[in-house]
Amino acid sequence: MRWFGRKSADLAPLFLSLPGMDERNLFPTTNQAQLREVFLRNPVGQRAVRLVAGAVGSLKVYALEGDQEAADLLGRASLLEQVAASLLLHGNAYLQVVEALGAPAELFVLPADKVTPEPDERGWPRAYHYKVGRKTSQISRHDAIERVQLIHIKALNPLQDQLGLGCLEAASPAAAIHNRASRWNKALLDNAARPSGALSYEPADGAALSAAQFARLREEIDRQFCGSDNAGRPMLLEGGLKWQSLGLTPTDMDFVAIKEAAARDIALAFGIPPVLLGLPGDTAYANLREAGRSLYRQTVLPLAERIVSEVSEALKDWFGPLRLAIDTDAISELAEDRERLWQMVSKADFISADEKREMLGFAPLAGPSL
């Protein structure tokens, strides 16, 4: 009898028809399926997004030139964190400008998966369709006097002009492997960390089990011998039944290496050093310190500067000349870099005080330069 062959053949069509799965590789293909696989069901992916988005949200923004009120708009209600998370997951972030008394009163983040750009005849977006349930509303990009109504920030996407590319598609295969390895380990633990074995029927007369006998036998095995609560229970066989134990080799049971490799791929997709996610490796203090500095230099600050520069450019229609900047002096992970820069600039006697201040990110002095 083909006990395991029959079971796998019965489940294969159901597994292949899961929504959002590609029948060729069993990886999620739709945006919603990828979001569930990477963020909702995977601890590594969720931690990676929260780590980067939280670091971006904790940054302080100030007006290097122009009205400080524009910088205050980005510091309200964890706006930077929401925008960063949307860019990481979807590659697009939409901020609607809420006007009050002729000036922007708030920037409202729209869900990226519910907004669709509408291009004009030249291919530039002229409006956006925001769909909630069955209702769709249109938001113009500019108002009657050409002031921005909706700010669209997008990540690099070489395949699409109107939409950005997030990290979901790159991280979803590794997240799918990581999640399935976890479910496989859970199933092994529920069955005492080994397959249940093979139960063969070998009567003296060579007869086969009837359908009723087969159903009753399977029900008895499921009820009395399967699951972690029944681990180790002895089995009493009769009437030509014979139990053949099966086991897994250490190589078959070693899913730790598979999960570790998948977790590193997820961290790589979101630009995070694996050691910051608690993955196995060298966790010495020096490595953690360097990893934290690398996270800000290579991932957090480039993402935050992209957001701030896009918002600065868009809000010029409302506030006039505007230049927003990030206060990197408040980042403790960059304290050593900042100390070396200050020492280098202070020893440069061949440049003026205003040039030194500009190198350090400060506005020039009001009086004459020294």
Side-chain angles (χ1 to χ4, degrees), residues 236-247:
L236 180 62
L237 304 177
E238 60 179 349
L241 293 175
K242 182 180 179 180
W243 177 259
Q244 297 178 352
S245 297
L246 299 178

Side-chain angles (χ1 to χ4, degrees), residues 123-188:
W124 296 95
R126 59 184 175 188
Y128 296 86
H129 297 278
Y130 179 44
K131 184 177 182 180
V132 179
R134 297 183 178 180
K135 183 178 180 181
T136 302
S137 57
Q138 179 173 310
I139 304 174
S140 299
R141 185 174 183 179
H142 298 88
D143 58 9
I145 56 177
E146 295 299 320
R147 293 180 303 186
V148 172
Q149 296 292 307
L150 191 142
I151 306 171
H152 180 195
I153 307 173
K154 60 181 181 180
L156 175 65
N157 186 358
L159 302 177
Q160 172 63 258
D161 295 333
Q162 304 298 334
L163 296 175
L165 181 64
C167 303
L168 278 181
E169 190 160 355
S172 60
I177 294 174
H178 193 277
N179 293 339
R180 278 152 184 76
S182 298
R183 288 197 289 268
W184 180 273
N185 285 342
K186 169 71 165 53
L188 285 179

